[in-house]
Amino acid sequence: MTVPVDVRQDASDGGSRRTVGSLFAGRSAGGPPVYREHKFATWVALFAFIALVVPNLFTGMADQLSLSVWLCYSIAGVGFYWVFGLAGRFAFCQTFMMALGGYTSAWITLKLGPGWFVIGVLGAMAVTGLIAAAVGLILSRAQEFYFAIGTLAVAQVGAVILTHTTSFSGADGSTVAIAPPEIFGFIFESYLQMFWLSLVVLAVVVFVAILLERSPVRRQAIAGRENAMVARTGGVPVVRVQVMLFAFGSMLGGLSGALLGAINSTVDINSFGTSLAIGIFLMLFIGGVGSVWGPIVGAAFYVAIPQVLSGLAQYENIVYGALLLVVIIVFPEGLVGALRTVSARIRHRRPPLEPGVTLVERLTSLLPTGIRKEHDAPPG
Amino acid sequence: MLLRAESISVNFGGVQAVSEVSAHCAAGELLGVIGPNGSGKTTFLNALTGVVDAQGKLTVDGEPVRLGQPARSYRSGLMRVFQAPQMFPSFTVLENVLVSSRDRTAAGFAGSWVIRPIMWRHERQRWRTALAALERVGLSEFADEPATSMSYGNQRLVEMARALVAAPKVLMLDEPSAGLNDAETDGLADLISALRTDGLGILLVDHKIDFIDRLCDRIMVLEMGAKIAEGPPAQVWSDPRVMDAYLGTVDDA
């Protein structure tokens, strides 16, 4: 049958010289705006900054431990960005995946020896990825709000199970005396060494995430999130994309948990409870739900601010809460989102198109479809 | 026969929205679907697109298509333009069109992470195809604009372009002229005629009778979810049931 669009048709005789010209100009010129952003340059700049400046600013042991925790939370946060930021699936089980990853990795290195750390981490990612894929498939028809409840149930039931599987997760869900990370015979013993290890892992994770940003997957994920019905009629495999992003995002949760376990030398189910689950959510919104940088900035805020405020003693929680509110009200699109808007204004460009990046917009989009505006064309 | 739908029925919890409607459309043919509000026209299109559960048989180009699954309808070459333009608000015009690209080679995770050179080659081809489709509907200069900044009429043209990049065999247009001024309607009619010359089968749901008459070879009339008449325009308009059911209530919008 006919293909109605003649792809050889030369479009340059229309009023579209600018677009067509730039389309054929360079490797990534033209096309959707995401391909024109300098994401790899930002990646180099960010990690060069962290590597060169941050370890010199924080020399105390406790600070260096916090830095590693920040980087590990960032890894889990990037995973949650895939699940919620891109796919729009509010999964409440990212911290459970972190705990499961921590136990799995610890269990493997306990059984095989500390030299098997890499295998332990890969095992943690495999286990969390497979479980998430299964959960994602089972819940694939659950709409936004129900998916959140379903994954919350998975996290709660999973936590109860993990407190009873003594031979796997230790007595009362607490595995202690985990060996420090060891790769090809090199043992990461000091907190500074663990910082470098976490930094390299995060850099790789973010690089992988940028590859995903600069690919059709991002487009399909956002299309499925914004209007699943229209995306489906356009041939977008909405369920597959969402389940895969959930599985890959959960794998990053597992990776994060495995690293955290080795850094803290302990995994305790209680440190992966609701508080951290809300924390991961906050990291994404404080940083900005619309970009891969958001969770990294948000995790820094989440880890640093309580320490900065710790001098306030009993007022700490009040000030922290107030600060959160201010950030969310003043920067509804997150710190990174605000930065992007400002830099676009300075360069007299249009700010990036990101409806649905504010907390309120995202939370209302989780409501069951009957409550919010109906997208579908009315029958008639 | 390009499109053959037999005894399509749609039930909404006991309400028979479409009952036993059959339709066929050849390549290069334009079938008009008319009927009063609530007669089941859009639901009929929804059934063919797979977005509602339906009973009946559907074949496209001789191949059977499973009902109730949008992916199957898409793969068989059925594309649809919605009554109210459905733009993805985060996307530019070009991205909105790209969503339904027929070529999905290396568009998944493997393409992102493993076979990037192949992904790039096809992705750039997808851009060109999408841009050519925008050129065809006359909007290529707006490729980089936010889709939601376009006028209502242009959003509909973006949807047309989005349908075209899916390389459809059958195009289903749901009240494409609604909300358009006379000049825009004329432009749309020219575009539809051109697409039909390309060999597409077109199902056209509309309220504007002169628009339908001007374009369609055959008209099918629905009332209360059932087909009450079908044939060339002149024959259909002289059918007493159509006069009773349709013309008596028509609001010449």
Side-chain angles (χ1 to χ4, degrees):
Chain A
M1 280 314 299
T2 171
V3 177
V5 177
D6 182 357
V7 294
R8 292 155 301 164
Q9 185 177 340
D10 184 6
S12 61
D13 56 355
S16 56
R17 255 168 238 290
R18 182 173 53 90
T19 315
V20 175
S22 57
L23 182 68
F24 296 105
R27 179 178 161 81
S28 55
V34 68
Y35 293 107
R36 272 168 269 159
E37 293 170 9
H38 304 290
K39 285 190 191 293
F40 290 118
T42 314
W43 178 79
V44 170
L46 178 78
F47 284 97
F49 172 79
I50 297 175
L52 296 174
V53 176
V54 172
N56 298 318
L57 286 180
F58 303 96
T59 47
M61 289 241 305
D63 282 345
Q64 287 175 346
L65 175 61
S66 297
L67 289 178
S68 300
V69 171
W70 161 48
L71 297 171
C72 290
Y73 283 177
S74 298
I75 294 168
V78 171
F80 190 57
Y81 164 73
W82 284 348
V83 179
F84 185 57
L86 278 185
R89 300 292 263 171
F90 190 99
F92 229 112
C93 55
Q94 184 71 337
T95 48
F96 166 71
M97 296 298 172
M98 292 166 76
L100 185 62
Y103 290 126
T104 308
S105 172
W107 185 78
I108 290 174
T109 48
L110 191 73
K111 293 284 167 197
L112 300 179
W116 294 81
F117 175 73
V118 175
I119 300 298
V121 170
L122 293 178
M125 294 174 73
V127 167
T128 47
L130 286 174
I131 289 187
V135 169
L137 282 174
I138 292 166
L139 294 177
S140 65
R141 288 197 155 252
Q143 291 304 307
E144 297 82 355
F145 188 59
Y146 304 100
F147 183 81
I149 294 174
T151 48
L152 177 65
V154 167
Q156 296 293 330
V157 172
V160 171
I161 292 172
L162 285 174
T163 50
H164 289 94
T165 49
T166 310
S167 59
F168 173 66
S169 52
D172 292 327
S174 179
T175 304
V176 294
I178 300 170
E182 181 181 335
I183 299 174
F184 300 125
F186 183 85
I187 302 173
F188 295 81
E189 276 174 311
S190 75
Y191 285 139
L192 188 62
Q193 287 168 340
M194 292 179 189
F195 162 80
W196 287 112
L197 174 65
S198 311
L199 185 64
V200 169
V201 174
L202 177 64
V204 171
V205 163
V206 173
F207 187 83
V208 166
I210 292 173
L211 293 181
L212 198 66
E213 289 290 289
R214 295 169 52 80
S215 83
V217 171
R218 175 183 183 273
R219 183 166 67 233
Q220 298 181 51
I222 293 177
R225 182 188 88 208
E226 291 193 333
N227 196 334
M229 195 262 297
V230 174
R232 279 198 191 97
T233 60
V236 175
V238 175
V239 168
R240 191 198 309 164
V241 170
Q242 288 182 341
V243 170
M244 299 276 275
L245 281 171
F246 178 51
F248 283 122
S250 299
M251 281 170 83
L252 292 188
L255 169 65
S256 162
L259 282 176
L260 276 172
I263 289 167
N264 291 322
S265 80
T266 171
V267 181
D268 190 321
I269 193 72
N270 294 316
S271 46
F272 296 100
T274 318
S275 161
L276 184 61
I278 293 172
I280 299 267
F281 175 76
L282 279 178
M283 289 172 208
L284 199 58
F285 273 102
I286 292 167
V289 74
S291 100
V292 64
W293 316 113
I296 302 171
V297 173
F301 185 97
Y302 180 81
V303 173
I305 296 300
Q307 302 199 6
V308 172
L309 298 178
S310 61
L312 297 173
Q314 70 267 40
Y315 303 110
E316 184 196 324
N317 282 338
I318 298 174
V319 176
Y320 182 57
L323 197 60
L324 276 182
L325 271 180
V326 168
V327 169
I328 285 169
I329 291 168
V330 176
F331 306 111
E333 71 273 73
L335 295 171
V336 174
L339 200 68
R340 285 160 61 136
T341 309
V342 168
S343 84
R345 293 243 184 276
I346 290 172
R347 287 180 291 161
H348 302 289
R349 298 242 190 93
R350 192 171 32 235
L353 284 175
E354 282 170 313
V357 298
T358 70
L359 187 61
V360 174
E361 285 169 330
R362 267 317 176 75
L363 289 182
T364 47
S365 77
L366 289 176
L367 293 173
T369 23
I371 296 177
R372 65 190 149 100
K373 187 173 63 102
E374 191 63 61
H375 275 303
D376 199 353
Chain B
M1 195 52 66
L2 185 56
L3 172 86
R4 189 178 286 284
E6 284 171 50
S7 304
I8 301 290
S9 297
V10 180
N11 287 296
F12 290 132
V15 178
Q16 188 91 347
V18 173
S19 56
E20 306 269 318
V21 173
S22 298
H24 59 92
C25 184
E29 190 185 23
L30 223 159
L31 172 66
V33 182
I34 59 170
N37 286 328
S39 59
K41 306 184 295 291
T42 296
T43 309
F44 181 62
L45 295 195
N46 281 342
L48 299 190
T49 332
V51 295
V52 296
D53 283 328
Q55 289 81 47
K57 272 173 68 181
L58 175 64
T59 57
V60 176
D61 227 359
E63 296 288 319
V65 181
R66 207 158 128 200
L67 291 166
Q69 299 202 347
R72 302 293 178 104
S73 295
Y74 169 84
R75 235 174 288 156
S76 73
L78 289 169
M79 268 311 275
R80 151 88 170 281
V81 172
F82 290 88
Q83 192 169 2
Q86 303 284 322
M87 295 291 107
F88 297 102
S90 292
F91 287 165
T92 62
V93 166
L94 181 69
E95 285 173 298
N96 261 280
V97 175
L98 280 168
V99 164
S100 65
S101 301
R102 171 62 58 179
D103 175 11
R104 304 198 101 79
T105 311
F109 291 84
S112 305
W113 288 332
V114 189
I115 43 171
R116 273 187 88 80
I118 301 175
M119 183 279 280
W120 269 112
R121 197 164 64 238
H122 286 271
E123 182 72 349
R124 260 187 247 107
Q125 188 59 49
R126 286 188 276 265
W127 298 350
R128 270 178 229 130
T129 310
L131 210 58
L134 281 172
E135 185 72 21
R136 179 140 200 197
V137 301
L139 291 181
S140 58
E141 63 188 296
F142 300 111
D144 287 340
E145 299 297 317
T148 45
S149 75
M150 307 296 280
S151 70
Y152 192 84
N154 281 347
Q155 288 191 14
R156 180 160 287 132
L157 290 175
V158 175
E159 276 220 348
M160 293 282 282
R162 190 199 284 152
L164 293 182
V165 295
K169 296 172 180 169
V170 179
L171 190 59
M172 296 182 279
L173 306 171
D174 198 350
E175 302 204 22
S177 75
L180 302 191
N181 63 33
D182 287 349
E184 287 172 326
T185 308
D186 286 345
L188 184 72
D190 292 344
L191 177 62
I192 292 173
S193 303
L195 292 176
R196 157 206 213 164
T197 314
D198 285 347
L200 264 76
I202 298 176
L203 258 65
L204 176 61
V205 169
D206 216 293
H207 272 310
K208 286 184 184 165
I209 289 170
D210 54 343
F211 186 67
I212 286 264
D213 274 356
R214 179 162 130 203
L215 288 167
C216 296
D217 309 283
R218 274 186 306 123
I219 297 179
M220 167 173 121
V221 187
L222 296 183
E223 193 202 9
M224 308 280 284
K227 184 163 78 177
I228 57 169
E230 185 178 1
Q235 179 192 325
V236 164
W237 294 127
S238 59
D239 189 313
R241 280 175 306 177
V242 176
M243 289 187 193
D244 281 356
Y246 190 74
L247 297 180
T249 58
V250 71
D251 173 18
D252 193 8

